[in-house]
Amino acid sequence: MCGFLGGRAARRGAVPVLPTVALSCALRLPCWHLRPPGALLSSLPGRDCSLLSKKTTAAKWKEKKAGEGRSLPGSSWEERLASAVTPLWRLPYQEQLQVKYESQRKILQTLATLLEELGIDVQKPGGLCCPLQPVVPSPVINGYRNKSTFSVNRGPDGNPKTVGLYVGTGRARNIVCVKANHMENIPPKHKQVAQCYEEFIRRSPLDPCILFHEGGHWRELVVRTTSHSHTMAIITFHPQELGQEALATQKALLKEFFTCGPGTVCALTSLYFQESTMTRCSHEQSPFQLLHGEPHIFEEVLGLKFRISPDAFFQVNTSGAEVLYRAVGELSQAGEDTMLLDICCGTDHRVVRAIRNCKSIRRLLYISCKPEGEAMRNFVELCCPPDPGKKLAGEPFAPMLAIPFDMFPHTVHCELVLLFTR
């Protein structure tokens, strides 16, 4: 039996459209032709071992960034935004991969140290707990995001009806909302919808809702797109004291703008409206109201068709997800008599304990976008000696292989796949 920990592509509304659905919706992909690990690794894109010899440290990166980095044609605010959200954007892509490789190497060194403190000898060359492969590059480097969230707040010019991304912090009270026109990870379609939404709210007599207690209505915008050229826009609105008639008027104006007015250039597949009095609302707390178009958009991943709803979780980099899932499927070494479990546990200790105590699970693939965080505790609990106090009675796992996948070019983040066996 093989388990997958951390994969969530089929959670919360991203439903595969199939006659029958396997237990592991996200990872039951067609045509698992088993190959030895060497064949798998050599087939992954960008398996350039020169990445191991040429290391770009964080210090070198900062020095390079401050020196000869590229500049944007806009204001300094745009550069500040790009550096805050996509801090590696100035680096050539191969150097970005080197920076990420170094960060993953340190994570594996930390895990090796923690396990050694428990009396577990896992030291490998370089002080790692297991072999680390080079970072698998993303097939798409620019404009890869299939979901973007835009805020509404004061722009650099003081206009409170600016749609973009934040620079600054609430604690320092220096938040500025900067347009995302020059963000390399956001596709042009998302920027277009954001620009149209800004045009709409600037025409509206209603104020933006910057702080809930100060009133105002227009809030954030979420844009989702697929490889089928489907586009979904979800607009969040604070109703404050507006009655149903006034709300109906605003929804009608919004629909008219995007179906008959300037917003028609966005060619929206779906336009949703959500009345929310909280920072985040689920569909159960405040239903998403379809103002125009289809209730879902559709995406395909390795031959599977997924139906995506407004609040569905879906990997933000679709082409990168295909590479990740193909590799995970082969690493599982699944045969006809293998049961695959896609276990979406996050950092739930009880799930980790259940896996540890299930003797049938001999092979585990843990996928984490933040392995330096709570996932590190999970790694230790999976590998530590039996601990009756924590109800960890089963045979411990051992880390065997780590493969980072770059799902987020221009940022410092990547997905780490850790293979454990026992």
Side-chain angles (χ1 to χ4, degrees):
M1 182 182 290
C2 180
F4 300 93
L5 205 56
R8 299 182 297 166
R11 272 179 63 184
R12 293 195 291 120
V15 180
V17 182
L18 293 168
T20 59
V21 181
L23 180 60
S24 176
C25 298
L27 298 170
R28 187 179 183 271
L29 304 177
C31 302
W32 291 136
H33 300 299
L34 301 183
R35 290 181 285 172
L40 164 69
L41 299 180
S42 64
S43 71
L44 290 173
R47 313 313 298 169
D48 182 2
C49 291
S50 64
L51 292 176
L52 300 177
S53 58
K54 183 181 178 184
K55 298 175 181 177
T56 300
T57 64
K60 283 179 64 179
W61 159 59
K62 289 179 180 178
E63 179 182 350
K64 185 178 182 70
K65 176 182 171 185
E68 59 189 64
R70 294 174 292 156
S71 61
L72 293 173
S75 69
S76 60
W77 284 109
E78 290 166 331
E79 296 215 4
R80 287 178 62 183
L81 175 61
S83 296
V85 179
T86 53
L88 304 184
W89 72 275
R90 296 179 187 267
L91 291 182
Y93 189 54
Q94 284 300 312
E95 293 189 26
Q96 293 187 30
L97 297 179
Q98 292 164 23
V99 171
K100 296 187 182 195
Y101 175 85
E102 284 299 299
S103 68
Q104 300 306 302
R105 187 174 65 86
K106 292 177 180 177
I107 288 167
L108 296 187
Q109 287 176 332
T110 299
L111 179 56
T113 299
L114 292 173
L115 295 180
E116 280 195 334
E117 292 173 354
L118 296 174
I120 305 170
D121 183 15
V122 294
Q123 282 282 3
K124 298 293 187 296
L128 308 182
C129 64
C130 65
L132 172 64
Q133 292 294 320
V135 181
V136 179
S138 172
V140 178
I141 299 172
N142 294 325
Y144 57 86
R145 292 191 63 91
N146 55 40
K147 178 183 177 182
S148 299
T149 301
F150 300 94
S151 300
V152 178
N153 211 308
R154 292 181 179 84
D157 62 355
N159 193 319
K161 292 184 176 181
T162 300
V163 177
L165 306 179
Y166 284 151
V167 174
T169 64
R171 177 171 298 187
R173 297 185 179 181
N174 62 353
I175 287 180
V176 175
C177 195
V178 182
K179 294 184 181 182
N181 296 342
H182 295 89
M183 297 299 296
E184 296 194 3
N185 60 340
I186 297 178
K189 172 61 74 171
H190 295 200
K191 299 172 185 177
Q192 181 186 52
V193 178
Q195 182 60 43
C196 284
Y197 180 51
E198 181 179 277
E199 181 179 347
F200 174 81
I201 65 174
R202 288 189 175 186
R203 294 182 178 195
S204 171
L206 299 183
D207 293 330
C209 180
I210 296 175
L211 296 174
F212 288 5
H213 67 276
E214 292 183 356
H217 303 278
W218 299 114
R219 293 184 51 214
E220 71 178 24
L221 162 74
V222 174
V223 184
R224 309 188 74 147
T225 49
T226 72
S227 59
H228 294 282
S229 299
H230 297 169
T231 304
M232 176 186 288
I234 306 116
I235 290 168
T236 308
F237 183 91
H238 197 307
Q240 301 291 358
E241 305 301 324
L242 291 182
Q244 288 304 309
E245 185 176 346
L247 283 170
T249 297
Q250 295 307 314
K251 288 185 279 189
L253 290 172
L254 195 59
K255 177 181 178 180
E256 181 182 11
F257 180 87
F258 279 102
T259 59
C260 304
T264 55
V265 297
C266 300
L268 295 182
T269 308
S270 310
L271 174 61
Y272 274 98
F273 183 88
Q274 186 185 39
E275 301 166 29
S276 175
T277 59
M278 297 181 286
T279 302
R280 288 286 186 274
C281 261
S282 67
H283 176 73
E284 290 72 24
Q285 293 169 316
S286 181
F288 292 95
Q289 304 170 45
L290 181 64
L291 302 187
H292 165 72
E294 303 298 324
H296 305 96
I297 56 177
F298 293 87
E299 185 57 279
E300 289 189 17
V301 177
L302 295 180
L304 294 183
K305 189 174 183 180
F306 287 85
R307 184 183 68 205
I308 301 174
S309 56
D311 60 344
F313 173 86
F314 201 82
Q315 285 284 1
V316 74
N317 182 339
T318 304
S319 59
E322 289 190 315
V323 175
L324 171 66
Y325 293 156
R326 185 180 291 113
V328 165
E330 294 192 25
L331 282 168
S332 71
Q333 296 187 355
E336 292 183 358
D337 60 345
T338 302
M339 179 181 292
L340 301 178
L341 301 176
D342 180 8
I343 306 166
C344 313
C345 83
T347 57
D348 191 322
H349 172 72
R350 291 174 297 176
V351 176
V352 174
R353 185 171 62 202
I355 293 171
R356 172 69 185 264
N357 296 338
C358 179
K359 295 180 180 180
S360 300
I361 298 178
R362 311 302 299 173
R363 195 174 185 88
L364 175 68
L365 288 162
Y366 194 119
I367 307 171
S368 176
C369 61
K370 195 175 181 182
E372 72 279 10
E374 282 294 315
M376 185 66 71
R377 187 184 70 177
N378 293 166
F379 300 157
V380 173
E381 290 173 342
L382 288 167
C383 301
C384 69
D387 186 340
K390 294 183 178 180
K391 299 182 180 180
L392 298 171
E395 177 187 353
F397 285 87
M400 302 301 294
L401 180 67
I403 309 179
F405 290 78
D406 185 19
M407 304 286 283
F408 318 101
H410 309 301
T411 78
V412 296
H413 305 291
C414 63
E415 294 270 357
L416 180 65
V417 176
L418 258 176
L419 170 63
F420 296 91
T421 64
R422 60 179 176 180

